[in-house]
Amino acid sequence: MKAPPTCPRCFGSLHGPNAWSSAWRCDAHGDILPFQPPRPPSLAAVETLRKNAVVPVWVPWPLPAGWLVTGFGEVGDERTGDRASVVALCGPSISHGPADVLIVAEEPGVGLGAALAGLSGPDPGEGFDAGPPNAKIEVLGHPTPLWCVGGPDDRAVYAGEALGNWLWTIVWPAEAGCLVALSELALLDLRDHDLDLPFGAFSPRLGG
């Protein structure tokens, strides 16, 4: 049986739409968009996101050597379309062994990126971009600044903005965060490109 949607801000259970309201509701966060059960890596998952996503579905391309796509997630439903997307990847880091990466695109206020980053959210917070950027990532051919955002010690979190949406990159372990700063990653939107993605084992990082 398919797992029910959860809250994108705390991954808690939701009250579904009813005769009085079309909204999903979290006891802690009120009316929210639902975080759908994460999808294992497959062509079917790619096609579903390409069809439903209102925001970009970012993937580094070309992938760093040895990297695999390990799952997908989205926030939204048939009524709203997907207002947040997340792509999971894994592979060797520059110098710290294997690493897991989540790349999130979301509309302001959704809260999935902050929740996956271990922050209270829903967004990076005021002043996160006050100083010079800590990294730059190429988005559709344009250099895009990212700033480190404080979070749990086990991961490195970068946040910025692209195409009017939040862009998050979250890396485990924290020591592998230099992958974002040093690998010259270039992001493409899967909605616009038919890429031959290599798939790996389903990521355990997509549930919070």
Side-chain angles (χ1 to χ4, degrees), residues 16-203:
N18 54 45
W20 296 275
S21 173
S22 61
W24 294 83
R25 186 168 183 82
C26 170
D27 287 339
H29 297 108
D31 291 352
I32 51 84
L33 296 170
F35 178 45
Q36 301 295 336
R39 299 178 184 273
S42 68
L43 290 175
V46 172
E47 288 308 311
T48 298
L49 264 73
R50 291 176 73 172
K51 179 177 66 175
N52 296 338
V54 179
V55 298
V57 182
W58 297 124
V59 64
W61 198 261
L63 288 174
W67 278 76
L68 302 170
V69 175
T70 56
F72 303 94
E74 71 260 40
V75 176
D77 57 23
E78 293 179 357
R79 177 176 58 91
T80 64
D82 294 338
R83 304 291 173 148
S85 72
V86 53
V87 177
L89 307 108
C90 72
S93 66
I94 295 172
S95 60
H96 295 281
D100 293 301
V101 178
L102 300 180
I103 301 178
V104 180
E106 64 180 357
E107 293 183 351
V110 172
L112 178 64
L116 292 169
L119 306 173
S120 58
D123 298 321
E126 285 189 33
F128 83 96
D129 56 352
N134 302 105
K136 287 190 177 180
I137 193 168
E138 187 176 297
V139 177
L140 303 179
H142 300 284
T144 300
L146 297 176
W147 288 265
C148 287
V149 183
D153 292 340
D154 67 335
R155 69 202 77 176
V157 179
Y158 295 83
E161 181 271 333
L163 299 184
N165 299 287
W166 290 122
L167 167 62
W168 299 80
T169 61
I170 307 160
V171 185
W172 289 264
E175 294 77 15
C178 58
L179 176 77
V180 175
L182 301 178
S183 290
E184 299 182 351
L185 298 179
L187 301 185
L188 293 180
D189 185 351
L190 269 181
R191 297 178 301 171
D192 302 325
H193 297 273
D194 187 12
L195 304 177
D196 185 16
L197 298 174
F199 296 132
F202 192 20
S203 174

